[in-house]
């Protein structure tokens, strides 16, 4: 295991890259093949004559491979985080209030950072997990507008979150939170020169390298290597010198990696390779997808040949001229005819079902993509299929949630330790303060995909449990209503009860009435007295408030007809 606490030089970084590229080489080759399937550019014919077959037989590629990845990402993973933070000391109310404030602020920061990314990072991560069986999240900070951060910290969010392509970052495959990471990137010379100008005061700054970059065309791309360790951050040119090096003030490597869990390590340790663990959802069914494309191409060719069969004639020159010009060829009916091809047998259109069944068994039930399976006629049947199909993705979903929890902890860590963020950060007025963190960086992030019908039933059941004393109001809000700031909700309820008190309500009504031109002093006193006695509609509870806790099934009223029980069918029939 290399010592990542020592200061790396250019040679050490080059050795690391060589080692990791050799380690991940076979995996990246598999991913490139997966890209061809996702982009529907794979060759459906194999073997020595594949090019000739592609030219003579054609290539029709159904959207199966793309749909499998996209639908799985759309259906089984959520993209809106739900955050949970336990109070550092549950016995102290200030710690409870701080935990609620941190939940709201960090969620707002993560949502805002996701919106600032070119692609939603959590959706991209789910696609990478499905396609490659492996995914990476990159954490970053953007200090471009520090002035705004000092003036309005509750509205300044420097946090950046990206789902970097897994082939762009090289890390040891068995470290979920890596001890070192090497990012490969291309940057325009103009952008790189602007970055280097901000780093020129660093002690380890390569002035000669910066001048060379400045002399290049601003649109020319430069290949770079960016290495991170808990102690050092280094930027160098590919196979070249270090451009600058600085201490890592964050004290952590801003990358997290995870495998989806579709693959597994082989028994033989000599074959230990990340390609066995980085197995995407398409990997077991690639050959079946290719067979499906061959089958669809053959059917399509048969249909085209039947629809556009060639013509024949005893006067081929006249026929050719008529076909080229669109004119009507002169002659008798028997002078021209359409070639009679062999009829396409019915079984051809029934073929391919076994291939589709194999693809379905190797991936997931298409019912969870919103398509109803034949024979499924009830909501309960569909719910059973959905539940069974989603179990395949429970592992990747849990991995995504764990990485999101790490990112939330990193946000707390940098606010608590970086001097530039001592006043805190925020988004849309949700302020994350250093004083609310208490030196603890643990958070739980989940991405729930809730069915509206099931959620409504859960809330009704939770309300019943609260009414009979099996659950507290706080448990109901957190578990069933999914409320994230219980302290704020409780405060608003207290304020509502205060406003509804006759003494307070009468004063508010009197003050409001006194400000109206059409109301005199006598009317003001009358309104005050009426409000104190509870005779004004404003003091009544909202309409329907008493019906919220109604039973799940209402009993029959006295006005509903109740037929007598039939115990003697013979008497009813007059026998």
């Amino acid at each position: 295991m290399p010592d990542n606490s020592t200061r790396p030089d250019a040679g050490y970084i080059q050795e690391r890259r060589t080692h990791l590229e050799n380690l991940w080489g076979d995996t990246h080759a598999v991913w490139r093949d997966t890209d061809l399937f996702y982009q529907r550019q794979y060759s459906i014919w194999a073997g020595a004559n594949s090019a000739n077959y592609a030219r003579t037989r054609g290539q029709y590629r159904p959207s199966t491979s793309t749909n499998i990845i996209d639908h799985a990402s759309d259906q089984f993973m959520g993209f809106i985080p739900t955050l949970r933070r336990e109070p550092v000391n549950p016995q102290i109310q200030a710690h409870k209030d701080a935990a609620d404030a941190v939940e709201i602020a960090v969620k707002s920061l993560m949502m805002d950072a996701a919106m600032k990314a070119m692609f939603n990072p959590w959706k991209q991560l789910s696609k990478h997990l499905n396609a490659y069986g492996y995914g990476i999240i990159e954490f970053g900070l953007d200090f471009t507008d520090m002035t705004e951060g000092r003036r309005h910290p509750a509205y300044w969010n420097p946090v950046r979150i990206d789902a970097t392509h897994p082939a762009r970052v090289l890390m040891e495959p068995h470290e979920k939170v890596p001890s070192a990471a090497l990012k490969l990137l291309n940057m325009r010379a103009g952008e790189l020169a602007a970055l280097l100008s901000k780093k020129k005061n660093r002690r380890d700054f390569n002035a000669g390298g910066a001048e060379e970059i400045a002399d290049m065309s601003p649109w020319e791309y430069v290949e770079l290597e960016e290495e991170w360790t808990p102690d050092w951050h280094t930027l160098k040119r590919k196979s070249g010198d270090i451009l600058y090096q600085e201490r890592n003030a964050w004290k952590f490597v801003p990358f997290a990696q995870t495998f989806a869990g579709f693959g597994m390590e082989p028994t033989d340790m000599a074959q230990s390779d990340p390609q066995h663990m980085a197995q995407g959802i398409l990997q077991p069914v690639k050959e079946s997808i290719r067979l499906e494309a061959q089958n669809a191409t053959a059917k399509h060719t048969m249909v085209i040949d039947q629809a556009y069969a060639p013509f024949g004639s005893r006067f081929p020159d006249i026929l050719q001229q008529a076909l080229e010009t669109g004119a009507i060829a002169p002659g008798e009916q028997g002078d021209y005819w359409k070639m009679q091809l062999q009829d396409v047998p019915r079984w051809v259109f029934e073929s391919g079902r076994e291939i589709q069944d194999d693809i379905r068994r190797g991936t997931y039930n298409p019912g969870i993509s919103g398509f109803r399976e034949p024979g499924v006629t009830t909501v309960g049947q569909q719910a059973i299929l959905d539940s069974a199909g989603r179990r395949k993705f429970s592992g990747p979903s849990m991995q995504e949630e764990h990485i999101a929890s790490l990112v939330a902890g990193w946000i707390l860590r940098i606010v608590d330790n970086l001097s530039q963020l001592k006043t805190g950060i925020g988004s849309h007025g949700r302020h994350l303060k250093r004083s609310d963190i208490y030196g603890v960086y643990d958070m739980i992030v989940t991405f729930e995909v809730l069915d509206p019908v099931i959620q409504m039933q859960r809330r009704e059941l939770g309300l019943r449990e609260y009414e009979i004393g099996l659950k507290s109001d706080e448990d109901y809000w957190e578990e069933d209503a999914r409320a994230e700031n219980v302290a704020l909700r409780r405060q608003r309820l207290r304020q509502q009860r205060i406003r509804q008190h006759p003494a307070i309500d009468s004063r508010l009504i009197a003050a409001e009435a006194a400000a109206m031109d059409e109301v005199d002093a006598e009317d003001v006193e009358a309104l005050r007295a009426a409000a104190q006695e509870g005779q004004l509609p404003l003091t009544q509870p909202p309409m329907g408030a008493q019906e919220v806790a109604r039973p799940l099934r209402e009993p029959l009223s006295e006005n509903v007809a109740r037929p007598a029980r039939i115990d003697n069918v013979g008497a009813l029939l007059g026998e």
Side-chain angles (χ1 to χ4, degrees):
M1 192 72 179
D3 183 8
N4 293 313
S5 63
T6 59
R7 181 175 178 175
D9 55 21
Y12 181 82
I13 296 176
Q14 183 59 44
E15 291 178 1
R16 184 193 296 277
R17 174 169 182 168
T18 301
H19 160 69
L20 292 175
E21 284 183 335
N22 292 336
L23 182 62
W24 286 92
D26 293 339
T27 306
H28 290 177
V30 174
W31 291 351
R32 283 188 285 270
D33 183 61
T34 299
D35 290 340
L36 295 177
F37 277 84
Y38 180 76
Q39 298 162 4
R40 299 195 299 280
Q41 296 178 352
Y42 61 94
S43 175
I44 71 172
W45 307 108
N49 294 324
S50 58
N52 181 51
Y53 291 158
R55 183 175 63 258
T56 58
R57 299 176 178 176
Q59 297 193 88
Y60 167 64
R61 306 174 183 87
S63 61
T64 304
S65 53
T66 305
N67 289 337
I68 288 174
I69 294 175
D70 287 348
H71 288 167
S73 175
D74 294 339
Q75 298 297 324
F76 88 90
M77 283 186 173
F79 312 122
I80 299 178
T82 300
L83 283 82
R84 175 66 181 165
R85 176 175 169 87
E86 296 296 332
V88 177
N89 189 340
Q91 307 302 322
I92 301 177
Q93 184 60 40
H95 286 200
K96 294 182 179 180
D97 296 340
D100 289 336
V102 168
E103 287 178 1
I104 298 299
V106 175
K107 177 177 180 177
S108 183
L109 289 166
M110 294 181 68
M111 290 284 291
D112 183 66
M115 293 301 100
K116 289 179 178 177
M118 291 299 296
F119 298 95
N120 186 302
W122 308 113
K123 185 175 181 64
Q124 284 299 111
L125 176 62
S126 67
K127 277 196 173 185
H128 293 162
L129 291 174
N130 290 328
Y132 307 128
Y134 174 80
I136 292 174
I137 282 291
E138 178 181 0
F139 177 85
L141 294 176
D142 182 3
F143 291 121
T144 302
D145 196 0
M146 284 290 295
T147 303
E148 181 66 21
R150 295 189 181 97
R151 289 168 45 190
H152 306 291
Y155 296 88
W156 178 60
N157 180 17
V159 174
R160 300 293 181 266
I161 304 172
D162 289 297
T164 309
H165 193 281
R168 309 288 188 267
V169 185
L170 300 175
M171 296 175 283
E172 290 292 339
H174 297 286
E175 296 179 343
K176 192 168 191 177
V177 181
S179 58
L182 185 63
K183 182 180 180 181
L184 313 178
L185 66 157
N186 293 334
M187 186 180 294
R188 289 192 179 96
E191 297 177 5
L192 180 57
L195 173 63
L196 294 177
S197 67
K198 299 177 182 179
K199 303 290 185 179
K200 61 184 178 181
N201 294 327
R202 298 290 192 275
R203 185 183 67 178
D204 301 300
F205 179 75
N206 186 346
E211 292 178 0
E212 183 179 349
I213 297 296
D215 293 337
M216 297 173 62
S217 168
W219 310 110
E220 185 177 352
Y221 278 99
V222 182
E223 293 187 80
L224 300 172
E225 299 170 349
E226 184 181 20
E227 188 190 58
W228 287 88
T229 69
D231 298 307
W232 294 97
H233 174 220
T234 307
L235 184 69
K236 68 180 289 290
R237 296 187 66 171
K238 179 183 177 181
S239 303
D241 296 330
I242 291 176
L243 296 175
Y244 73 85
Q245 193 171 59
E246 60 187 356
R247 285 282 185 177
N248 183 1
W250 304 352
K251 300 302 180 183
F252 62 88
V253 178
F255 294 93
Q257 62 178 344
T258 186
F259 293 97
F262 297 138
M264 60 182 292
E265 286 187 286
T267 303
D268 189 356
M269 291 187 62
Q271 298 179 0
S272 181
D273 190 290
Q275 69 166 319
H276 300 294
M277 296 179 291
Q279 293 281 317
I281 194 172
L282 293 182
Q283 196 61 30
V285 296
K286 283 183 177 178
E287 288 305 315
S288 296
I289 292 175
R290 183 175 278 112
L291 289 177
E292 182 192 43
Q294 293 175 2
N295 188 278
T297 300
K299 293 178 183 178
H300 178 71
T301 301
M302 291 180 183
V303 172
I304 293 297
D305 289 345
Q306 285 287 345
Y308 303 102
F311 288 91
S313 173
R314 294 189 300 112
F315 311 105
D317 295 337
I318 297 177
L319 175 62
Q320 182 65 28
Q321 183 180 4
L323 293 176
E324 292 176 354
T325 61
I328 298 177
E332 300 296 332
Q333 182 176 2
D335 294 340
Y336 307 95
W337 61 87
K338 194 172 184 179
M339 299 293 293
Q340 294 296 323
L341 301 179
Q342 182 180 1
D343 290 339
V344 179
R346 190 175 185 84
W347 62 265
V348 170
F349 297 96
E350 299 296 327
S351 65
R353 287 189 176 182
E354 68 281 0
I355 300 175
Q356 295 174 352
D357 289 342
D358 180 70
I359 294 175
R360 183 184 295 110
R361 288 192 296 267
T363 54
Y364 58 87
N365 188 335
I368 71 172
S369 301
F371 301 101
R372 184 175 64 86
E373 285 285 283
V376 178
T377 58
T378 67
V379 175
Q381 291 173 337
Q382 188 64 46
I384 293 174
L385 292 178
D386 290 352
S387 177
R390 292 181 190 279
R391 290 194 188 100
K392 182 179 183 68
F393 304 105
S394 59
S397 182
M398 293 178 63
Q399 296 285 16
E400 181 188 30
E401 291 173 348
H402 182 242
I403 286 187
S405 301
L406 293 175
V407 171
W410 290 342
I411 295 175
L412 299 181
R413 183 181 297 273
I414 57 111
V415 171
D416 200 29
N417 292 284
L418 290 188
S419 59
Q420 301 99 313
L421 306 180
K422 62 182 179 181
T423 58
I425 59 177
S427 173
H428 306 294
R430 277 83 168 183
H431 192 188
L432 178 59
K433 303 176 183 177
R434 181 176 292 185
S435 58
D436 289 336
I437 298 176
Y438 294 104
V440 176
Y441 313 130
D442 180 70
M443 291 204 74
I444 300 174
V445 181
T446 57
F447 295 93
E448 295 183 285
V449 182
L450 298 176
D451 183 275
V453 177
I454 296 178
Q455 176 64 6
M456 182 182 65
Q457 293 176 348
R458 178 184 294 178
R459 293 191 66 165
E460 289 184 349
L461 180 60
L463 191 58
R464 294 286 299 275
E465 292 178 344
Y466 165 69
E467 289 177 341
I468 62 179
L470 296 179
K471 180 179 291 186
S472 68
D473 59 350
E474 187 167 336
D475 290 335
Y476 170 76
W477 286 331
E478 291 180 350
E479 299 173 4
D480 304 315
R482 294 297 193 269
E484 296 180 348
N485 194 339
V486 175
L488 179 60
R489 175 170 291 205
R490 199 182 298 279
Q491 178 185 0
R492 289 175 176 173
L493 285 174
R494 287 195 298 264
Q495 293 174 351
Q496 177 178 321
R497 287 196 289 268
I498 291 172
R499 285 193 300 268
Q500 290 179 347
H501 191 278
I504 301 299
D505 195 23
S506 63
R507 292 185 182 182
L508 296 175
I509 291 176
E512 194 71 28
M516 300 173 63
D517 296 335
E518 62 270 24
V519 179
D520 56 19
E522 184 178 351
D523 294 332
V524 171
E525 290 302 322
L527 289 169
R528 185 199 300 271
Q532 286 182 335
E533 295 176 3
Q535 298 177 0
L536 290 182
L538 292 176
T539 61
Q540 301 302 319
M543 295 298 295
Q546 302 299 328
E547 300 179 2
V548 174
R550 65 181 184 274
L552 295 180
R553 292 180 179 268
E554 296 184 3
L556 298 177
S557 66
E558 297 295 333
N559 298 326
V560 177
R562 301 186 181 185
R565 180 180 177 87
I566 300 176
D567 294 322
N568 191 339
V569 179
L572 180 65
L573 298 176
E575 297 179 358

